[in-house]
Amino acid sequence: MSRPHSSSLVRFGRTDLFVTRLCQGTAFRHLPRTEDPRALEVLHRCLDLGINFFDSATAYGWGGAEKALGKAIVGRRSDLVICTKIIPSYPPEREGEPGQSAHFTRAFLCEQLEASLRRLGTDYVDLYMLHQPDAETPVADIAEAMRSLVEAGKIRYWGVSNHSAAHVSAFAELEVEGTAIAGVEDYYNIAGTHLDADGRSRVRVFEEEMFPILRREGLGCLAFSPMDTGHLAPENSVEGDEPLADLIETLDQVAGQLGVPRAAVCVAWVLTRPEITSVLAGSESSEQVEANLLGAGLELDGEALSALDAASASFRRGREAE
């Protein structure tokens, strides 16, 4: 097995951002979302292996993750593509409590962005994303606010995360110059254990409703959770009679044939979809970084892909029928 290294770049939608096919996130599940030495080690390993795409958010440790990323990229900022996200909420007064709700007004977006820039140690971000919908603010007002941030040089492009296809379509259809949405960040992986409010597979809905919009509008797509929020992680035991067991067996068969870790196959499967620009992985060790990066350069042949697609579809049908 060759040592993983990320060298090829792809264009994010119609922007002039060229990114690695693997993006490293800072929403660590087991590591502190702070300037913890273990988190910094992971981020430095990504940089050493050539990954140039990094994702964060104000809600990840309420600024802690942004500070960690800012510390890791000192002296290397100009070579990187940095994405951060904002939710319609102020930080909570006490840990574990909800923050005061807010709306995506121009003032709020500008205020929160300035705070993110200070934490990241930069004077601009490449992608500024709405982390979740604000049901109150008209899309035209949000787009106009984002245009003003682009003109001010604070952001290069903007997008949305965890928004419906209808939301994305509404943003994409705005015709005012300078308001164009650049892309989306959303949940997409081979399993798709998470269902929407109607009991439908979020992955299937994304394929059926969002993929056509991404193709039509030429939007970039950052797909998060290739290991399905840990459901596909090797350390999570799955009994033989559980629905997920058949999918994991197929993943491991393909991984064994190719001589790579399961995580690499999970990343590679997502990247077989032409609508996906990059996979957002939450690596929490150097070994995980390397496994995920192997997947970003891994080609699945027709037989392997057919087997994986069939196992994925079977699991999703069973999940929706539960």
Side-chain angles (χ1 to χ4, degrees):
M1 187 189 305
S2 62
R3 182 187 180 202
H5 191 279
S6 182
S7 57
S8 61
L9 302 178
V10 293
R11 188 178 183 183
F12 190 83
R14 293 175 176 168
T15 74
D16 61 356
L17 303 176
F18 286 85
V19 299
T20 46
R21 301 218 74 189
L22 188 74
C23 174
Q24 173 64 35
T26 56
F28 299 117
R29 292 169 57 84
H30 303 103
L31 296 181
R33 296 173 175 179
T34 63
E35 299 168 74
D36 184 278
R38 293 167 294 175
L40 292 173
E41 180 183 351
V42 169
L43 296 173
H44 286 145
R45 185 59 177 154
C46 291
L47 291 165
D48 291 343
L49 290 174
I51 295 170
N52 82 335
F53 198 7
F54 293 84
D55 175 82
S56 195
T58 59
Y60 299 161
W62 291 106
E66 288 179 324
K67 288 181 180 179
L69 181 55
K71 185 172 183 178
I73 65 175
V74 170
R76 305 172 90 161
R77 173 67 183 96
S78 61
D79 299 325
L80 307 177
V81 175
I82 302 299
C83 171
T84 197
K85 304 183 292 296
I86 175 67
I87 65 170
S89 170
Y90 290 98
E93 294 184 3
R94 286 178 291 274
E95 187 175 354
E97 294 183 358
Q100 180 185 350
S101 63
H103 300 302
F104 290 137
T105 63
R106 181 182 299 193
F108 177 77
L109 290 170
C110 184
E111 170 191 273
Q112 297 300 307
L113 175 61
E114 290 291 350
S116 290
L117 294 177
R118 288 193 296 272
R119 291 187 290 263
L120 289 164
T122 184
D123 55 5
Y124 72 97
V125 292
D126 301 282
L127 275 171
Y128 193 42
M129 290 202 169
L130 308 180
H131 206 161
Q132 62 190 51
D134 162 15
E136 301 294 329
T137 310
V139 294
D141 290 356
I142 292 174
E144 175 61 24
M146 291 297 197
R147 182 193 62 78
S148 70
L149 293 175
V150 172
E151 290 185 346
K154 301 291 185 179
I155 65 175
R156 295 182 66 189
Y157 299 97
W158 66 279
V160 298
S161 178
N162 299 306
H163 282 56
S164 69
H167 267 120
V168 173
S169 185
F171 280 122
E173 290 170 2
L174 291 172
E175 297 180 357
V176 180
E177 185 177 357
T179 63
I181 185 174
V184 304
E185 179 181 320
D186 220 310
Y187 169 81
Y188 187 74
N189 55 68
I190 193 170
T193 60
H194 295 275
L195 307 178
D196 66 12
D198 298 319
R200 303 178 301 170
S201 164
R202 283 183 59 184
V203 166
R204 181 176 65 80
V205 172
F206 195 76
E207 289 176 340
E208 294 176 356
E209 299 182 5
M210 192 73 79
F211 273 10
I213 298 171
L214 300 179
R215 292 192 297 266
R216 184 183 73 228
E217 303 296 337
L219 301 179
C221 182
L222 179 56
F224 66 74
S225 201
M227 301 301 287
D228 198 10
T229 59
H231 286 94
L232 299 177
E235 63 268 21
N236 288 346
S237 61
V238 178
E239 300 298 330
D241 58 348
E242 294 183 33
L244 196 58
D246 290 340
L247 174 56
I248 287 178
E249 182 180 358
T250 302
L251 282 166
D252 287 346
Q253 286 176 349
V254 172
Q257 292 166 359
L258 296 174
V260 299
R262 183 193 301 169
V265 178
C266 291
V267 170
W269 182 88
V270 175
L271 290 174
T272 63
R273 275 44 189 169
E275 296 83 3
I276 305 299
T277 309
S278 295
V279 169
L280 173 55
S283 304
E284 298 192 335
S285 68
S286 294
E287 293 74 20
Q288 289 179 6
V289 173
E290 293 170 9
N292 287 321
L293 192 51
L294 275 174
L298 182 66
E299 291 190 13
L300 299 173
D301 63 29
E303 183 177 351
L305 186 56
S306 294
L308 292 167
D309 285 347
S312 174
S314 176
F315 173 73
R316 288 189 229 165
R317 286 194 300 269
R319 184 77 180 92
E320 291 181 317
E322 291 178 2

